[in-house]
Amino acid sequence: MSSASSAPDAPDAPETTAHRTVLLRGGDVHSPADPFATAMVVERGHVAWVGSEGAADAFASGVDEVVDLEGALVTPAFTDAHVHTTATGLALTGLDLSSARTLAEALDAVRAHAAARPDDRVLLGGGWDAARWPERRHPSPAELDAATGGRPLYLPRIDVHSAVVTTALLDLVPGVRELAGFRPGEPLTGAAHHAVRAAAHGAITPRQRAEAQRAALRHAASLGIGTVHECGGPDISDEDDFTSLLALAREESGPRVFGYWAERVAGAKDADRIRELGAVGAAGDLFVDGSLGSHTACLHAPYADAPGTGTGHLDAAEVADHVSACTEAGLQAGFHAIGDAALSAVVEGVRAAAERVGLARIRAARHRVEHAEMLTPATIAAFAEFGLTASVQPAFDALWGGESGMYAERLGAERAATLNPYAALLRAGVPLAFGSDAPVTPLDPWGAVRAAAFHHTLEHRISARAAFTAHTRGGWRALGRDDAGILVPGAPADYAVWRAEELVVQAPDDRVARWSTDPRSGTPGLPDLTPGVALPVCLRTVVFGRTVFARPNE
């Protein structure tokens, strides 16, 4: 990809360099405005024109820069609709146990990390999943105490809804052994987990935090991600972490960051405080329940591999109060809900709120639900009725779905096969926004599109095009913006340039022609996402006309 000269911002963000007019040509431009477009003009941070190579000649002499794409693909930049940025950066730069194949290997990694970080007040890691280890058990406090030499260590499970810690870290949190969720020798959950997590994260210095945030945002940009939705809250991080991230994103070149703060709203005063933090909504991980992996997702029927039905944190009445107050204040509301009982509480609460403030106002607010895994036909219909956005993570099915996956282990094969029903959601007209929940699963947008198109459960698969839309335009729609995440004249110039093989049209059902390059289809192609085929490589990421990532030597 070569250039004859280079160029910037975010909607309503202050300019830091002059905007340049740029013509990109000689590639493929993924645009519904012209399914065969090969060129695009960017002017003042917006798409000014898309069209054919022949028509591009008319613009060549009047622009500041001409970029020869050399056959590369240009698409809208991805939006990751659910990220924990600081934790993602810490996982990228710290102890990541997601690749540990055994408990013994995980303990070796803890030992090496402790030796390499002698000055850290608290050792931080994560990503472990005992369900994938042959030992089939979590590390014990005694094992972790030995591996760290008795130092404080916080080690959340891959879903971040439970954690194993050392005795030294417990000793730093007065009264933790009396809190709900503490059981001697077992992973911490609930209030005990939140208290220990707060203590562990409180030991991070501002410099460490900023380094982690930069690392996460740089990595996102290198994957063609132009926007992330930060999901913060008092049970997840703290206000300093949240506001410092939003400030860093405003001040430095990189992906846009929109923040959601997960705290309940009772009235206008609460809504104003959340806005003062810089949040766009009182949503994200406002917990109605926990997670399936930690046996804390709230179910109607007991788990298949453990007693109990999980943990509910909010009931329908509390959901209704939050949604009503947010709607009255003109603020987007949302919840974390995974289990079928939790999702029932959400839709019952939203229904009660609609009776108070009116259905039209509920729909206009575009309230959202994170994860929304264990849906039923009734809850899907309610999502459609109330205009709720399903902010979902296809990588969850790729990692935990299938006949022998964690879902089947926790729920049994029959219930597991109902999870993450993307096709049914789309058929009902429910808006989808894709994300990663990083660091729970890695930032990997093309991998998420592939996971949705090749879902473990055949009837839940959607087309690659629908999945791609959910990971680009869907994230913007979840913010209430219908004019972004798409390369058409007037849209913000947020785009990525990719090295990709032949473009195809991929369908989810063999009754339809799975592959089509027939120009008569009039459908913009996407890279082949068949499992095993190499995913596209990001060459450049541009946000509001400004390059925020450029692959070296390209």
Side-chain angles (χ1 to χ4, degrees):
M1 185 171 65
S2 60
S3 171
S5 156
S6 216
D9 237 326
D12 308 318
E15 294 184 14
T16 56
T17 63
H19 282 291
R20 298 169 62 82
T21 302
V22 180
L23 168 64
L24 299 94
R25 65 185 305 178
D28 290 287
V29 179
H30 187 90
S31 171
D34 183 346
F36 314 114
T38 60
M40 179 171 75
V41 173
V42 173
E43 185 174 33
R44 297 194 61 78
H46 291 81
V47 176
W49 171 85
V50 293
S52 67
E53 191 64 26
D57 290 335
F59 295 94
S61 62
V63 300
D64 299 310
E65 178 185 4
V66 178
V67 175
D68 182 358
L69 294 168
E70 300 177 0
L73 170 67
V74 181
T75 72
F78 285 104
T79 293
D80 192 310
H82 194 119
V83 176
H84 305 286
T85 306
T86 303
T88 299
L90 291 170
L92 289 168
T93 59
L95 175 59
D96 181 5
L97 297 180
S98 61
S99 60
R101 294 165 295 183
T102 66
L103 171 59
E105 196 172 295
L107 290 169
D108 286 342
V110 170
R111 196 171 292 110
H113 183 72
R117 312 281 297 205
D119 299 325
D120 287 6
R121 288 181 287 174
V122 174
L123 297 166
L124 300 168
W128 61 272
D129 186 359
R132 297 159 64 188
W133 293 340
E135 296 93 343
R136 308 292 291 178
R137 68 173 180 86
H138 58 81
S140 71
E143 288 169 327
L144 294 175
D145 289 347
T148 60
R151 295 169 62 191
L153 167 71
Y154 171 66
L155 208 58
R157 188 186 179 278
I158 189 170
D159 58 15
V160 202
H161 283 272
S162 59
V164 290
V165 302
T166 55
T167 304
L169 182 56
L170 286 176
D171 291 342
L172 293 178
V173 187
V176 67
R177 292 172 175 84
E178 283 72 54
L179 292 177
F182 177 84
R183 293 169 295 162
E186 293 298 313
L188 303 174
T189 61
H193 178 213
H194 296 160
V196 169
R197 175 165 54 191
H201 286 177
I204 299 171
T205 66
R207 179 187 59 79
Q208 286 175 306
R209 182 172 62 204
E211 287 176 355
Q213 291 168 350
R214 287 192 186 97
L217 294 177
R218 280 197 302 266
H219 185 56
S222 76
L223 298 170
I225 297 171
T227 299
V228 300
H229 297 184
E230 165 68 12
C231 292
D235 290 333
I236 300 159
S237 53
D238 58 42
E239 292 184 9
D240 286 343
D241 180 81
F242 187 75
T243 57
S244 69
L245 171 65
L246 297 181
L248 183 145
R250 285 193 303 269
E251 294 162 4
E252 300 185 7
S253 178
R256 308 168 192 265
V257 178
F258 292 94
Y260 284 94
W261 187 251
E263 194 163 7
R264 289 166 62 186
V265 170
K269 184 177 179 180
D270 293 338
D272 289 343
R273 197 186 73 78
I274 284 172
R275 287 194 179 97
E276 288 166 4
L277 290 174
V280 296
D285 279 334
L286 183 52
F287 296 119
V288 179
D289 68 345
S291 74
L292 291 166
S294 292
H295 294 100
T296 52
C298 191
L299 312 181
H300 283 304
Y303 282 87
D305 64 342
T309 56
T311 305
H313 300 297
L314 298 176
D315 60 23
E318 291 166 320
V319 168
D321 289 344
H322 179 68
V323 172
S324 299
C326 286
T327 305
E328 293 280 12
L331 189 66
Q332 191 179 24
F335 306 92
H336 161 121
I338 287 178
D340 53 359
L343 287 160
S344 293
V346 168
V347 298
E348 289 169 19
V350 175
R351 189 178 305 281
E355 291 171 358
R356 293 182 202 172
V357 303
L359 177 60
R361 294 180 69 188
I362 294 290
R363 291 179 61 85
R366 302 195 192 189
H367 303 308
R368 54 190 281 173
V369 181
E370 309 302 313
H371 316 309
E373 294 192 67
M374 209 171 169
L375 291 158
T376 64
T379 48
I380 291 172
F383 269 50
E385 178 184 359
F386 301 125
L388 300 176
T389 294
S391 172
V392 297
Q393 296 73 39
F396 287 7
D397 176 73
L399 188 61
W400 299 315
E403 294 180 358
S404 59
M406 183 271 286
Y407 288 153
E409 185 176 307
R410 293 290 185 269
L411 301 172
E414 184 176 348
R415 278 191 295 177
T418 69
L419 266 59
N420 303 302
Y422 303 139
L425 286 163
L426 285 181
R427 282 195 302 271
V430 176
L432 294 184
F434 280 1
S436 62
D437 199 9
V440 174
T441 64
L443 298 168
D444 180 16
W446 282 116
V449 175
R450 170 186 278 172
F454 293 91
H455 197 294
H456 276 100
T457 305
L458 187 62
E459 57 264 37
H460 299 335
R461 292 180 178 180
I462 60 177
S463 70
R465 183 185 182 197
F468 179 78
T469 298
H471 221 335
T472 50
R473 198 173 189 186
W476 281 100
R477 285 173 164 165
L479 291 163
R481 290 280 301 273
D482 294 325
D483 62 336
I486 187 170
L487 299 181
V488 296
D494 289 21
Y495 61 90
V497 182
W498 307 92
R499 185 192 304 127
E501 300 302 321
E502 182 184 11
L503 304 183
V504 298
V505 176
Q506 212 155 358
D509 193 326
D510 284 326
R511 291 172 297 179
V512 180
R514 185 175 288 276
W515 310 103
S516 173
T517 54
D518 186 344
R520 292 172 297 180
S521 70
T523 301
L526 288 168
D528 180 0
L529 299 177
T530 304
V533 173
L535 292 173
V537 174
C538 185
L539 305 179
R540 179 169 297 203
T541 305
V542 175
V543 174
F544 204 51
R546 181 198 307 276
T547 297
V548 299
F549 168 78
R551 186 163 295 280
N553 304 317
E554 293 287 352

